């Protein structure tokens, strides 16, 4: 029997065996030298490929983050267990299972109890698994005992540096999932407060965990989503007193800025929409805003603005664009985001004049000058929408002159007759920034001026327009490339730079007369730079 298990750490092998036994290998495709499979993780599905050479795994791939670092993961192990079970009649797992069944059948109850007590004293996780198993049909235990077991479980993963790596985070997520049955039973027997206490404790303790990389948040956030899902079911069936109790507990927990608090806020704002909670939530948000007002740090200013927007969204959701919401915006008019929020709501409700007034005021406000192009474009759209032709044309003109884009240049061109445009175009060419002239000359097919504008430009600019210029001025284009390359070659460079020059030489051959020019350059360089072996080697690759 192939000893593939030697490829894996024991801890990972055990987890893979659990995944296999739990039926997490959802599909498997076997061929002579390849296994392709899908394994269900805690919050995602992972694709696994295992290649064989002479019956031995040679390459193993998995799409999970742990395998990205070149590690053999539990998903690979689960697939190999399933492969072994399905493809080998004498597989070790089957014999192992039979022997366990026989051992347990022969043992008396007293021996089994003693053995369970002995091994669980040595392994806290086994205690938790056993408790979870017997809890499927029994939730009579004090909720405090379950909370203690959660603490023991999380402590068992604690590391001296306070961080958890990917494997630990995913494992603790799986282990905490074993409490789902307990919570569901508590809800079934209408122990709603106990169900909330347990889920809230899990949520709060997980929120304290530090993990090594943001990439691993998916498992932590999966726990948050799972717990808030339970809260949703609890308040759906609980009486008003219990619902009020949960509301005030969550409201008190809304502090800080970790991911857990974000989930609490979303839950509060989406699930407690009754009139009785609305004013409480607004007061709660305002109290946080008032605290931030007294601190002028950049971080606190950002948080304050976000809270103001949150309050506005709730006000709008409840009463639409009310006078209270509009006046509240005015209190924080120095925030650009607040102005934009109100303008967007006016546009949505077809109150275009009010939106235009905000955008005009903000465009002319020196504090927001750095985004004047954004407000010009907003005004341009609204002027067009409301039939204000002169103002619309003026804004398009301003955008072309001061914030050039070829799309708005074309938009402006449509506003004039051909004769009128000839004069306007010359005016634009005089006023617009020189860096935009190549775009204009290319758009207007003024290729002689386009060629002239290439002088002194970076090589990438020439490459942008050489396909069209090469049709009319091939020798001039080749001359520009030749001058550029000869200038570069005056200084020694590394092989990568030489390779970039070779690519340009190969590119030059597409133009009429290009092959002759390239051969001339190569001949001159071979003579002039005969002491640069790397350069000569790269030149020899040109065909």
């Amino acid at each position: 029997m192939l000893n593939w298990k030697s490829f894996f750490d024991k801890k990972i092998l055990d987890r893979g065996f659990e995944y296999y036994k739990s039926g997490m290998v959802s599909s498997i495709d076997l061929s002579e030298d390849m296994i392709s499979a899908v394994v269900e993780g805690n919050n995602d599905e992972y694709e696994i490929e295992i290649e064989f050479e002479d019956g031995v795994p040679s390459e193993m791939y998995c799409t999970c983050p742990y395998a990205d670092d070149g590690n053999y993961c539990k998903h690979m192990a689960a697939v190999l267990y399933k492969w072994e079970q399905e493809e080998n009649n004498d597989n070790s797992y089957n014999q192992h299972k039979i022997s366990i069944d026989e051992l347990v059948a022969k043992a008396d109850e007293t021996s089994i109890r003693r053995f369970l007590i002995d091994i669980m004293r040595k392994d806290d996780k086994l205690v938790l698994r056993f408790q979870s198993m017997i809890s499927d049909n029994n939730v009579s235990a004090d909720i405090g005992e379950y909370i203690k077991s959660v603490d023991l479980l999380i402590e068992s993963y604690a590391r001296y540096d306070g961080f958890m790596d990917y494997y630990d985070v995913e494992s603790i997520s799986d282990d905490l999932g074993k409490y789902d049955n307990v919570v569901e039973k508590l809800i079934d027997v209408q122990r709603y407060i106990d169900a909330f206490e347990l889920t809230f404790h899990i949520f709060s303790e997980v929120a304290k965990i530090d993990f090594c990389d943001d990439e691993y948040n998916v498992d932590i956030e999966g726990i948050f989503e799972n717990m808030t899902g339970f809260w949703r079911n609890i308040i759906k069936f609980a009486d008003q007193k219990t619902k009020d109790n949960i509301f005030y507990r969550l409201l008190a927990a809304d502090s800080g800025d970790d991911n857990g608090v974000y989930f609490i806020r979303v839950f509060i704002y989406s699930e407690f929409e009754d009139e009785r909670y609305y004013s409480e939530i607004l007061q709660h948000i305002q109290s946080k805003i008032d605290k931030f007002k007294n601190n002028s740090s950049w971080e606190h200013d950002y948080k304050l603005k976000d809270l103001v927007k949150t309050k506005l969204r709730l006000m709008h959701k409840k009463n639409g664009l009310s006078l209270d919401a509009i006046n509240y915006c005015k209190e924080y008019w120095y925030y650009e985001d607040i102005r934009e929020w109100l303008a967007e709501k006016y546009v949505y409700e077809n109150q275009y004049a009010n939106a235009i007034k905000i955008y005009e005021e903000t465009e002319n406000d020196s504090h927001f000058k750095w985004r004047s192009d954004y407000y010009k474009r907003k005004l341009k759209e609204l002027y067009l929408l409301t039939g204000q032709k002169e103002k619309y044309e003026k804004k398009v003109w301003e955008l072309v002159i001061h914030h050039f884009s070829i799309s708005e240049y074309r938009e402006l061109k449509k506003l004039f007759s051909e004769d009128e445009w000839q004069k306007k175009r010359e005016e634009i060419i005089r006023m617009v920034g020189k860096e935009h002239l190549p775009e204009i000359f290319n758009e207007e097919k003024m290729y002689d001026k386009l060629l002239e504008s290439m002088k002194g430009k970076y090589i990438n600019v020439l490459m942008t327009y050489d396909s069209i210029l090469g049709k009319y001025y091939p020798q001039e284009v080749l001359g520009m490339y030749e001058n550029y390359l000869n200038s570069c070659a005056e200084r020694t460079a590394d092989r990568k730079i030489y390779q970039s020059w070779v690519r340009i030489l190969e590119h030059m051959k597409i133009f009429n007369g290009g092959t002759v020019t390239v051969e001339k350059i190569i001949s001159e360089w071979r003579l002039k730079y005969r002491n640069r072996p790397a350069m000569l080697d790269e030149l020899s690759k040109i065909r």
Side-chain angles (χ1 to χ4, degrees), residues 153-291:
L153 173 63
I154 293 175
E155 286 173 12
S156 71
Y157 282 95
R159 284 172 27 175
Y160 71 91
D161 56 6
F163 286 95
M164 286 191 185
D165 60 20
Y166 166 75
Y167 181 75
D168 286 335
V169 171
E170 190 171 13
S171 296
I172 199 171
S173 174
D174 290 342
D175 285 343
L176 287 171
K178 295 180 173 65
Y179 288 91
D180 288 359
N181 288 334
V182 175
V183 177
E184 288 167 359
K185 291 292 181 183
L186 289 169
I187 294 173
D188 286 344
V189 297
Q190 300 181 21
R191 289 174 60 180
Y192 300 124
I193 288 293
D194 284 345
F196 175 75
E197 291 294 343
L198 178 56
T199 52
F200 184 73
H201 186 74
I202 292 173
F203 187 104
S204 302
E205 292 305 305
V206 169
K208 298 174 185 176
I209 295 174
D210 289 323
F211 34 95
C212 298
D213 195 312
D214 287 343
E215 180 182 0
Y216 312 143
N217 285 13
V218 62
D219 292 297
I220 297 295
E221 291 182 358
I223 296 171
F224 293 153
E225 289 174 353
N226 196 29
M227 296 303 107
T228 55
F230 282 129
W231 298 347
R232 195 169 288 109
N233 286 334
I234 291 169
I235 66 172
K236 179 180 179 181
F237 298 109
D239 58 29
Q240 192 61 56
K241 183 178 179 181
T242 300
K243 189 174 180 179
D244 289 348
N245 187 348
I246 292 171
F247 170 74
Y248 288 110
R249 286 286 302 281
L250 293 176
L251 208 62
D254 177 18
S255 60
D257 294 284
D258 57 42
N259 286 336
V261 169
Y262 168 79
F263 280 87
I264 287 175
R265 287 174 184 163
V266 170
F267 184 82
I268 292 172
Y269 302 154
S270 62
E271 300 300 324
F272 293 94
E273 297 184 312
D274 297 354
E275 187 66 37
R276 63 190 294 134
Y277 302 119
Y278 174 70
S279 59
E280 293 268 11
I281 292 173
L282 291 191
Q283 289 175 20
H284 170 73
I285 295 173
Q286 189 59 48
S287 68
K288 294 167 75 68
I289 290 171
D290 293 339
K291 288 180 182 178

Side-chain angles (χ1 to χ4, degrees), residues 514-528:
T515 300
V516 173
T517 303
V518 169
E519 288 175 352
K520 173 174 152 297
I521 294 171
I522 292 174
S523 177
E524 291 174 353
W525 282 9
R526 286 189 184 281
L527 199 63
K528 190 173 182 180

